[in-house]
Amino acid sequence: MRAGTQNRSGGPSSLNTAVLADRYLAPGETTRNDVFKRVAHALSVAEQPGQRAHFTRLFYANLLQGAIGAGRIMANAGRVNHGTMVNCFVHPIGRGGQSVADASDVERALHQAQITLQMGGGVGYDFSVIAPVDAEQAASNSGTESVCAVLDAFDRVCATQALINTRGGAQMAVLRCDHPDLTAFVTAKRGRKRWSTFNLSVAVTDAFMRAVADDGLWCLQHPAVPNAQRLAKGARVLSNGNWCYAVVPARQLWNAITEAAHDSAEPGLLFIDAINGANDLAEIETIAATNPCGEQPLPPWGSCVLGPIDLSRWVQWPFGMGGQPLFDFIGLSQAVRVQVRMLDNAIELTRWPLPEHMHEAHAKRRIGVGVTGLADALTMMCLPYAAPAARCMAAQIGRCLRDNAYAASAALACERGSYPLFSPERSLASGHFSAALPKAVREAVARHGLRNSHLLSLAPTGSVSLAFGDNCSSGIEPAFDWVYQRRVRTQHRAPQLYRIENRAYRLFRALYGQHAALPDYFVTARQIDGFDHLRMVAALQPSIDASISKTVLLPHGTSCAEVGALLFHAWQLRLKGITIFRPDSGSGDILSVLPALVSRPACFC
C-alpha cells in the first residue's frame, strides 16, 4: 500500500475546508479537485494547441498525487482577477548603481511595493542603501530617512493592503551587518508589536563572523557622508569609498542580534557570502536579499514560481503495515519532471506586477520545485526525524529532486530553448552546482542547455499543506504536534480556534486503532535538539540550488548563549540562513498544544 494510493487517514478537517474556501476556491468551485482541474487547464495553455488536452491530464494527475503549486498558483491560475502566480519577489530600494537611496527612491519603491502586494506577491528588500540616522542630509538635500523610519512606511503600506486581501501581505527586511543602524534595526521588535508585516534578517558576512569568533573589532560603515558632529569625532573614508561611522567590538553587535532573536525570534541570519558563493549566476548578479520566508535568495527584481511535492504520498507500506516501508523514488522522479514543466509554463502565463519583474524572470526563468510533508514521510518510514538514518533518507530525496529537475530542465531547453542568459561554460564549470549532477544529466545540459537558471527551493507550506495536504507536516519542518489547536482568521472575521490532527498521525490511527501506543519514531518539533534541526538543513542544502526556509524551534527556557551557539554553528555548517523560534506563552497564539501557545509571523506559500 502506498500512502497516496489508498488514503485511510480520514477526510479533511473543518480547518482544511475553511482554508480551502477562504484562499483557493474560485467562484463555482467546492472541492480541491475543482481547484486542481482549473490549475491544470490554465497551465496547459502554454503548450501547443494539439498538446493541451494531454498536458491538462498530466498536470491534473500530478496535482492529485500531491505535486501542487504554491499558494499564488493554486489561488490565481485560470482566474479572471489581477492576481499573480508568483509568490516571491525582491525589490531594490534605490536605482541601479546608486549606493545611497534618497527620498524619491523610497517613494518610488513604496509605490512598486504596493502594486506587487496588491497582486498577492510577497516582497523582500535590502534596506542597506538607506543612509544611517545621523547622515548629513543638508549636504546633499536628499531628505533621506533612517532605516527604521523607512520600514515604518513600508509596514503601513503592507498593513493597509492586508485589509483588502484576505491573505495579507508579507515582507522581508534585510540589513547588512556593517550598517550603522544595525543595533536599532535588530532591537526594533523587542518587547513591542512593530513591523507586523515584516520578517527581519541580517545579512552577515564571513568577515563579520570571523571577527565574532576572534573577538575582534568591526567597522560600521556606509557611503553616506556622516553629519558634522560625526566628522568632528574623526569619521574617515575607507579604501572602499565608504565612511567609517564607528568601530565597535564585533561581539557587542553579535550579542544584540542573539538577544533579539532569543526574545522575539528575529532577526534571522542570511549568510550572504555563502549565498552568493553558491549562486551559479554570481558572475552576472549580486544577491543582497531574499523573499519574505527566506527560501529564495533573489537579485533586484528577481522572482520565483514555487511548487511543493507532498513526500508523504510516496511512502509504500507506511508504518510497516504490509511490509517494510519503502520510498517510491521512481514515482517522485516522474512527479518532479512534470512539476518542472508546469512551473515553467507559469512563467509564460502569469500576470506580472511590474515590467521589471517580467524582464528579469524571462532572462533567467527561476522556478522552485520544493517539498512538503518530509517529517510525515520519515515518520511513515519509521525513522525519527533527528536520527542519522532520517537525514540520510532526506539527502537521498534531495538528490532525487535535484537530478530529475535538472534533467527535466535540459529536456525543456531542447524543446523550447535555454534561458537567455544561459552559459554552458559558466554552468558546467568546476565548483558550480551542476558539477555535482550525474554524468548523464551533465551531458544533457552540455548538449541542450538549461531552461531554468534555478530549479529547487524548499519553502514553508503552511496554508497549502492545510488546504491540499490534509494537514501534513509543513515543508521540511518536524510535525508541530500530532493533535493541536490552530488559531486562524478567515474572511476578516475574528480568529477562530480549530482542533486539528497531523496527517501521518491520522493514518497511523486508521491502521492501528485509537488506543495503540505511538512508537518512538513519532517525534515532534519540541522534542528535537536545535542542532539536529540544523543537521537536517545541512543534509538537504547540497541538493538545493536556491535555499531552504527552516525555523529552529527551541524550548522556552533556552538561554541567549545557547541561541548564539546555534546561530554560530549554522555559519560553521555553511548554511545559507537560519531562523530560531522560542515559544513564549505571553505572545499572540497561532498554534497551541494545550496549554502552551506558539506564534510566528504568517508567511503562507
Side-chain angles (χ1 to χ4, degrees):
M1 186 190 81
R2 193 176 79 190
T5 315
Q6 185 176 351
N7 183 359
R8 298 171 58 187
S9 58
S13 71
S14 58
L15 176 57
N16 302 151
T17 303
V19 171
L20 177 70
D22 185 54
R23 294 181 178 157
Y24 301 111
L25 294 182
E29 295 175 347
T30 58
T31 69
R32 287 179 291 184
N33 282 9
D34 291 337
V35 179
F36 294 159
K37 290 173 183 176
R38 167 173 52 82
V39 170
H41 181 268
L43 292 178
S44 70
V45 172
E47 304 291 343
Q48 294 296 319
Q51 293 291 307
R52 288 174 186 170
H54 165 72
F55 283 106
T56 296
R57 291 191 295 269
L58 191 63
F59 294 159
Y60 178 65
N62 221 35
L63 288 158
L64 285 174
Q65 294 187 91
I68 58 177
R72 298 306 86 207
I73 290 176
M74 305 308 287
N76 294 329
R79 294 185 67 174
V80 183
N81 61 17
H82 296 291
T84 180
M85 288 189 267
V86 184
N87 276 71
C88 305
F89 296 91
V90 161
H91 285 192
I93 302 297
R95 285 163 287 184
Q98 279 188 273
S99 56
V100 182
D102 61 25
S104 64
D105 294 322
V106 172
E107 286 301 315
R108 184 184 305 105
L110 281 167
H111 177 66
Q112 292 161 341
Q114 185 175 30
I115 293 171
T116 304
L117 292 164
Q118 283 175 345
M119 291 185 65
V123 189
Y125 322 82
D126 173 25
F127 286 98
S128 302
V129 295
I130 303 298
V133 68
D134 68 349
E136 178 61 79
Q137 298 176 17
S140 62
N141 195 29
S142 65
T144 304
E145 299 180 273
S146 70
V147 169
C148 293
V150 170
L151 258 74
D152 286 335
F154 278 81
D155 188 55
R156 286 192 296 271
V157 165
C158 191
T160 302
Q161 179 60 34
L163 300 177
I164 303 168
N165 183 339
T166 58
R167 178 176 181 260
Q171 303 185 98
M172 170 70 84
V174 179
L175 198 68
R176 281 183 56 89
C177 59
D178 53 5
H179 194 284
D181 285 359
L182 180 65
T183 300
F185 173 79
V186 302
T187 59
K189 283 193 174 185
R190 290 184 67 183
R192 54 180 170 161
K193 295 186 181 300
R194 189 179 185 186
W195 303 338
S196 61
T197 70
F198 271 103
N199 290 322
L200 307 185
S201 288
V202 176
V204 295
T205 61
D206 289 341
F208 174 74
M209 297 303 295
R210 287 192 293 267
V212 171
D214 298 339
D215 196 15
L217 296 176
W218 187 246
C219 177
L220 297 174
Q221 55 183 291
H222 200 271
V225 181
N227 63 22
Q229 183 179 9
R230 178 76 67 181
L231 286 169
K233 291 181 178 179
R236 65 186 189 279
V237 178
L238 303 172
S239 60
N240 61 6
N242 286 356
W243 284 87
C244 179
Y245 277 64
V247 176
V248 298
R251 288 189 185 175
Q252 176 182 314
L253 297 171
W254 180 251
N255 290 340
I257 291 169
T258 57
E259 288 169 8
H262 175 269
D263 290 353
S264 61
E266 295 188 84
L269 297 184
L270 299 178
F271 299 110
I272 204 67
D273 290 337
I275 287 171
N276 280 295
N279 180 17
D280 270 4
L281 298 184
E283 296 173 18
I284 60 174
E285 66 179 23
T286 299
I287 290 174
T290 73
N291 74 309
C293 292
E295 74 278 1
Q296 196 66 50
L298 293 166
W301 302 119
S303 61
C304 188
V305 290
L306 304 175
I309 298 174
D310 183 355
L311 296 175
S312 68
R313 307 289 188 93
W314 305 100
V315 178
Q316 298 174 324
W317 314 117
F319 309 112
M321 175 61 78
Q324 178 70 27
L326 295 172
F327 193 86
D328 182 5
F329 284 102
I330 294 175
L332 178 62
S333 299
Q334 295 167 344
V336 169
R337 293 181 183 234
V338 175
Q339 190 80 329
V340 166
R341 189 179 194 104
M342 188 179 81
L343 295 180
D344 189 70
N345 285 3
I347 294 175
E348 291 301 306
L349 298 169
T350 190
R351 298 175 180 88
W352 295 99
L354 298 164
E356 293 89 343
H357 297 142
M358 182 181 69
H359 296 150
E360 172 69 19
H362 284 177
K364 300 168 186 173
R365 306 192 69 84
R366 274 179 164 91
I367 63 171
V369 177
V371 302
T372 192
L374 172 66
D376 280 12
L378 296 174
T379 303
M380 291 175 181
M381 296 189 70
C382 309
L383 296 173
Y385 186 92
R391 292 193 290 273
C392 181
M393 174 56 63
Q396 286 182 262
I397 290 170
R399 289 191 292 271
C400 180
L401 293 172
R402 178 198 66 190
D403 297 349
N404 286 281
Y406 271 77
S409 188
L412 269 181
C414 178
E415 178 183 341
R416 298 176 172 177
S418 299
Y419 67 91
L421 296 180
F422 172 74
S423 163
E425 294 79 15
R426 181 178 63 234
S427 287
L428 293 170
S430 176
H432 280 233
F433 189 83
S434 297
L437 294 169
K439 181 181 178 182
V441 181
R442 291 199 311 273
E443 289 175 348
V445 173
R447 284 194 307 272
H448 308 303
L450 285 169
R451 180 67 172 167
N452 316 93
S453 68
H454 296 73
L455 285 139
L456 301 142
S457 180
L458 301 189
T461 56
S463 63
V464 292
S465 291
L466 285 168
F468 305 108
D470 294 331
N471 194 37
C472 65
S473 56
S474 175
I476 69 161
E477 301 289 354
F480 174 73
D481 213 309
W482 310 119
V483 181
Y484 58 100
Q485 289 182 320
R486 184 168 185 141
R487 186 179 297 275
V488 174
R489 181 194 301 273
T490 58
Q491 296 294 331
H492 303 308
R493 302 188 187 103
Q496 183 177 347
L497 270 179
Y498 292 85
R499 179 186 181 277
I500 53 177
E501 296 179 348
N502 167 268
R503 183 175 183 271
Y505 172 84
R506 283 189 287 112
L507 178 59
F508 180 86
R509 288 294 176 217
L511 293 172
Y512 291 100
Q514 293 300 313
H515 302 293
L518 290 180
D520 58 7
Y521 52 77
F522 271 83
V523 181
T524 65
R526 293 171 300 141
Q527 297 170 306
I528 297 170
D529 181 79
F531 290 96
D532 284 324
H533 282 270
L534 297 185
R535 292 181 185 112
M536 180 59 79
V537 179
L540 284 161
Q541 186 67 79
S543 297
I544 305 301
D545 54 13
S547 191
I548 300 172
S549 178
K550 173 81 179 71
T551 299
V552 179
L553 185 64
L554 301 174
H556 176 66
T558 302
S559 68
C560 270
E562 291 170 318
V563 168
L566 276 168
L567 297 179
F568 193 84
H569 189 57
W571 172 67
Q572 291 176 312
L573 289 173
R574 302 303 294 169
L575 303 186
K576 294 182 179 179
I578 177 176
T579 301
I580 69 97
F581 181 63
R582 190 179 59 93
D584 178 1
S585 59
S587 65
D589 50 322
I590 292 174
L591 306 178
S592 61
V593 179
L594 298 175
L597 304 174
V598 176
S599 75
R600 277 283 294 158
C603 183
F604 296 109
C605 291

